[in-house]
Amino acid sequence: MVFGLNKHVVLFKILEAVVILLPLIYGLTIAGGDLGKLATPVYTPPEIGFSLGDVTSLLRNDTSVLNVSITNDGAFEVYVESFHAILVYKNVTVGEAHLEAPVHIASGEEADILLVVDYVDLTPLLNADEDEVLGLQGSISLEMQGVQVSTPLNMTIQLKTLIDALGGM
């Protein structure tokens, strides 16, 4: 007997020490011997990305609506809760737009978001060519994996598209 213990107990204690120490030694080896790196969690945030497609317009019940085709290029499905933007022509705000209704977009899928156009001032646009573009500068709020995210979303639309949405100038 070693130290008053039988062989089985000694072997069990050695095996217990190996089971406890081997994962720690392995972890330290992977972390390059840096105990701080081993104890610090690593988090890679999910990628959020959108591709904008065609922008069309329609006039529905005296409401001007921009139909924006958008593709979710991110890794997770998103629920677009709101979108608020201003329409800008040559650094002059000519109108506002907001999301008509929330939209669910699965990862890799394309959906149409409907933006209601309000408070349009056509005065700066009177001498503009229909082929010129307007900036739609806004912020989109969405939910992804239970997390609320707000990010800028800017795009351009042709003046002709806005004129069509308004039913002509």
Side-chain angles (χ1 to χ4, degrees), residues 125-147:
L125 305 173
L126 291 178
N127 296 323
D129 188 299
E130 285 187 346
D131 292 329
E132 292 192 64
V133 293
L134 300 170
L136 191 63
Q137 302 169 355
S139 175
I140 189 169
S141 296
L142 51 94
E143 180 183 320
M144 179 182 67
Q145 295 283 305
V147 177

mmCIF file of all heavy atoms in Angstrom, residues 125-147:
data_model
loop_
_atom_site.group_PDB
_atom_site.id
_atom_site.type_symbol
_atom_site.label_atom_id
_atom_site.label_comp_id
_atom_site.label_asym_id
_atom_site.label_seq_id
_atom_site.Cartn_x
_atom_site.Cartn_y
_atom_site.Cartn_z
ATOM 1 N N LEU A 125 -38.346 71.136 -57.418
ATOM 2 C CA LEU A 125 -38.298 70.158 -58.508
ATOM 3 C C LEU A 125 -38.893 70.674 -59.818
ATOM 4 O O LEU A 125 -38.880 69.967 -60.816
ATOM 5 C CB LEU A 125 -39.046 68.888 -58.093
ATOM 6 C CG LEU A 125 -38.594 68.223 -56.792
ATOM 7 C CD1 LEU A 125 -39.531 67.089 -56.429
ATOM 8 C CD2 LEU A 125 -37.168 67.733 -56.911
ATOM 9 N N LEU A 126 -39.414 71.901 -59.821
ATOM 10 C CA LEU A 126 -40.133 72.404 -60.994
ATOM 11 C C LEU A 126 -39.284 72.439 -62.262
ATOM 12 O O LEU A 126 -39.772 72.128 -63.346
ATOM 13 C CB LEU A 126 -40.709 73.796 -60.708
ATOM 14 C CG LEU A 126 -41.853 73.810 -59.699
ATOM 15 C CD1 LEU A 126 -42.314 75.231 -59.436
ATOM 16 C CD2 LEU A 126 -43.019 72.951 -60.172
ATOM 17 N N ASN A 127 -38.028 72.805 -62.177
ATOM 18 C CA ASN A 127 -37.165 72.896 -63.354
ATOM 19 C C ASN A 127 -36.243 71.687 -63.505
ATOM 20 O O ASN A 127 -35.325 71.705 -64.319
ATOM 21 C CB ASN A 127 -36.324 74.175 -63.304
ATOM 22 C CG ASN A 127 -37.196 75.416 -63.372
ATOM 23 O OD1 ASN A 127 -38.199 75.431 -64.083
ATOM 24 N ND2 ASN A 127 -36.828 76.428 -62.619
ATOM 25 N N ALA A 128 -36.490 70.649 -62.724
ATOM 26 C CA ALA A 128 -35.623 69.469 -62.754
ATOM 27 C C ALA A 128 -36.015 68.542 -63.895
ATOM 28 O O ALA A 128 -37.182 68.457 -64.283
ATOM 29 C CB ALA A 128 -35.723 68.725 -61.434
ATOM 30 N N ASP A 129 -35.017 67.849 -64.414
ATOM 31 C CA ASP A 129 -35.228 66.847 -65.458
ATOM 32 C C ASP A 129 -35.707 65.554 -64.798
ATOM 33 O O ASP A 129 -35.246 65.183 -63.717
ATOM 34 C CB ASP A 129 -33.906 66.603 -66.193
ATOM 35 C CG ASP A 129 -34.079 65.733 -67.417
ATOM 36 O OD1 ASP A 129 -34.525 64.579 -67.249
ATOM 37 O OD2 ASP A 129 -33.771 66.202 -68.527
ATOM 38 N N GLU A 130 -36.617 64.833 -65.442
ATOM 39 C CA GLU A 130 -37.163 63.592 -64.878
ATOM 40 C C GLU A 130 -36.115 62.508 -64.664
ATOM 41 O O GLU A 130 -36.311 61.589 -63.879
ATOM 42 C CB GLU A 130 -38.273 63.037 -65.773
ATOM 43 C CG GLU A 130 -39.561 63.794 -65.685
ATOM 44 C CD GLU A 130 -40.673 63.101 -66.461
ATOM 45 O OE1 GLU A 130 -40.391 62.193 -67.269
ATOM 46 O OE2 GLU A 130 -41.834 63.470 -66.254
ATOM 47 N N ASP A 131 -34.981 62.592 -65.367
ATOM 48 C CA ASP A 131 -33.935 61.575 -65.231
ATOM 49 C C ASP A 131 -32.999 61.845 -64.053
ATOM 50 O O ASP A 131 -32.137 61.015 -63.742
ATOM 51 C CB ASP A 131 -33.124 61.482 -66.523
ATOM 52 C CG ASP A 131 -33.952 60.917 -67.674
ATOM 53 O OD1 ASP A 131 -34.857 60.104 -67.398
ATOM 54 O OD2 ASP A 131 -33.700 61.296 -68.834
ATOM 55 N N GLU A 132 -33.150 62.980 -63.399
ATOM 56 C CA GLU A 132 -32.313 63.275 -62.239
ATOM 57 C C GLU A 132 -32.714 62.365 -61.082
ATOM 58 O O GLU A 132 -33.796 61.764 -61.091
ATOM 59 C CB GLU A 132 -32.438 64.748 -61.849
ATOM 60 C CG GLU A 132 -31.820 65.681 -62.893
ATOM 61 C CD GLU A 132 -31.683 67.092 -62.367
ATOM 62 O OE1 GLU A 132 -30.918 67.283 -61.400
ATOM 63 O OE2 GLU A 132 -32.345 67.977 -62.919
ATOM 64 N N VAL A 133 -31.843 62.291 -60.091
ATOM 65 C CA VAL A 133 -32.103 61.389 -58.968
ATOM 66 C C VAL A 133 -32.294 62.170 -57.669
ATOM 67 O O VAL A 133 -31.769 63.262 -57.490
ATOM 68 C CB VAL A 133 -30.965 60.360 -58.779
ATOM 69 C CG1 VAL A 133 -30.888 59.394 -59.937
ATOM 70 C CG2 VAL A 133 -29.634 61.027 -58.551
ATOM 71 N N LEU A 134 -33.055 61.554 -56.796
ATOM 72 C CA LEU A 134 -33.276 62.057 -55.442
ATOM 73 C C LEU A 134 -32.603 61.101 -54.477
ATOM 74 O O LEU A 134 -32.551 59.891 -54.721
ATOM 75 C CB LEU A 134 -34.772 62.098 -55.113
ATOM 76 C CG LEU A 134 -35.681 62.951 -55.961
ATOM 77 C CD1 LEU A 134 -37.124 62.638 -55.623
ATOM 78 C CD2 LEU A 134 -35.390 64.411 -55.721
ATOM 79 N N GLY A 135 -32.131 61.634 -53.390
ATOM 80 C CA GLY A 135 -31.589 60.776 -52.345
ATOM 81 C C GLY A 135 -32.681 60.438 -51.345
ATOM 82 O O GLY A 135 -33.472 61.293 -50.963
ATOM 83 N N LEU A 136 -32.752 59.195 -50.974
ATOM 84 C CA LEU A 136 -33.659 58.756 -49.916
ATOM 85 C C LEU A 136 -32.756 58.393 -48.751
ATOM 86 O O LEU A 136 -32.113 57.343 -48.755
ATOM 87 C CB LEU A 136 -34.493 57.566 -50.394
ATOM 88 C CG LEU A 136 -35.657 57.130 -49.528
ATOM 89 C CD1 LEU A 136 -36.694 58.241 -49.429
ATOM 90 C CD2 LEU A 136 -36.310 55.893 -50.081
ATOM 91 N N GLN A 137 -32.654 59.288 -47.775
ATOM 92 C CA GLN A 137 -31.714 59.123 -46.671
ATOM 93 C C GLN A 137 -32.496 58.836 -45.398
ATOM 94 O O GLN A 137 -33.281 59.672 -44.953
ATOM 95 C CB GLN A 137 -30.883 60.390 -46.500
ATOM 96 C CG GLN A 137 -30.126 60.769 -47.745
ATOM 97 C CD GLN A 137 -29.511 62.155 -47.653
ATOM 98 O OE1 GLN A 137 -29.710 62.888 -46.709
ATOM 99 N NE2 GLN A 137 -28.742 62.505 -48.673
ATOM 100 N N GLY A 138 -32.267 57.658 -44.850
ATOM 101 C CA GLY A 138 -33.066 57.301 -43.685
ATOM 102 C C GLY A 138 -32.401 56.328 -42.747
ATOM 103 O O GLY A 138 -31.220 56.005 -42.868
ATOM 104 N N SER A 139 -33.209 55.869 -41.840
ATOM 105 C CA SER A 139 -32.768 54.918 -40.829
ATOM 106 C C SER A 139 -33.789 53.791 -40.762
ATOM 107 O O SER A 139 -34.999 54.039 -40.693
ATOM 108 C CB SER A 139 -32.670 55.619 -39.477
ATOM 109 O OG SER A 139 -32.350 54.697 -38.472
ATOM 110 N N ILE A 140 -33.281 52.578 -40.777
ATOM 111 C CA ILE A 140 -34.147 51.401 -40.734
ATOM 112 C C ILE A 140 -33.981 50.739 -39.373
ATOM 113 O O ILE A 140 -32.874 50.616 -38.861
ATOM 114 C CB ILE A 140 -33.826 50.433 -41.897
ATOM 115 C CG1 ILE A 140 -34.855 49.319 -41.995
ATOM 116 C CG2 ILE A 140 -32.423 49.868 -41.783
ATOM 117 C CD1 ILE A 140 -34.744 48.505 -43.273
ATOM 118 N N SER A 141 -35.107 50.360 -38.762
ATOM 119 C CA SER A 141 -35.095 49.646 -37.486
ATOM 120 C C SER A 141 -35.631 48.249 -37.733
ATOM 121 O O SER A 141 -36.686 48.084 -38.348
ATOM 122 C CB SER A 141 -35.964 50.356 -36.454
ATOM 123 O OG SER A 141 -35.446 51.621 -36.159
ATOM 124 N N LEU A 142 -34.885 47.271 -37.246
ATOM 125 C CA LEU A 142 -35.306 45.899 -37.466
ATOM 126 C C LEU A 142 -34.996 45.050 -36.256
ATOM 127 O O LEU A 142 -34.236 45.448 -35.375
ATOM 128 C CB LEU A 142 -34.652 45.331 -38.723
ATOM 129 C CG LEU A 142 -33.127 45.453 -38.877
ATOM 130 C CD1 LEU A 142 -32.443 44.210 -38.372
ATOM 131 C CD2 LEU A 142 -32.799 45.682 -40.323
ATOM 132 N N GLU A 143 -35.616 43.886 -36.227
ATOM 133 C CA GLU A 143 -35.360 42.912 -35.179
ATOM 134 C C GLU A 143 -34.734 41.686 -35.816
ATOM 135 O O GLU A 143 -35.193 41.195 -36.843
ATOM 136 C CB GLU A 143 -36.656 42.516 -34.474
ATOM 137 C CG GLU A 143 -36.433 41.511 -33.368
ATOM 138 C CD GLU A 143 -37.725 41.070 -32.713
ATOM 139 O OE1 GLU A 143 -38.600 41.932 -32.509
ATOM 140 O OE2 GLU A 143 -37.853 39.868 -32.442
ATOM 141 N N MET A 144 -33.640 41.230 -35.196
ATOM 142 C CA MET A 144 -32.941 40.052 -35.701
ATOM 143 C C MET A 144 -32.535 39.210 -34.500
ATOM 144 O O MET A 144 -31.834 39.698 -33.608
ATOM 145 C CB MET A 144 -31.704 40.489 -36.494
ATOM 146 C CG MET A 144 -30.909 39.337 -37.037
ATOM 147 S SD MET A 144 -29.436 39.875 -37.913
ATOM 148 C CE MET A 144 -28.489 40.545 -36.583
ATOM 149 N N GLN A 145 -32.999 37.992 -34.450
ATOM 150 C CA GLN A 145 -32.685 37.078 -33.363
ATOM 151 C C GLN A 145 -33.046 37.681 -32.000
ATOM 152 O O GLN A 145 -32.330 37.520 -31.018
ATOM 153 C CB GLN A 145 -31.193 36.710 -33.383
ATOM 154 C CG GLN A 145 -30.754 35.939 -34.601
ATOM 155 C CD GLN A 145 -31.167 34.494 -34.524
ATOM 156 O OE1 GLN A 145 -30.841 33.808 -33.560
ATOM 157 N NE2 GLN A 145 -31.884 34.026 -35.517
ATOM 158 N N GLY A 146 -34.140 38.443 -31.949
ATOM 159 C CA GLY A 146 -34.595 39.046 -30.706
ATOM 160 C C GLY A 146 -33.859 40.317 -30.318
ATOM 161 O O GLY A 146 -34.103 40.868 -29.258
ATOM 162 N N VAL A 147 -32.981 40.795 -31.175
ATOM 163 C CA VAL A 147 -32.207 42.000 -30.892
ATOM 164 C C VAL A 147 -32.679 43.125 -31.798
ATOM 165 O O VAL A 147 -32.844 42.941 -32.993
ATOM 166 C CB VAL A 147 -30.689 41.739 -31.123
ATOM 167 C CG1 VAL A 147 -29.880 42.999 -30.912
ATOM 168 C CG2 VAL A 147 -30.199 40.625 -30.229
#
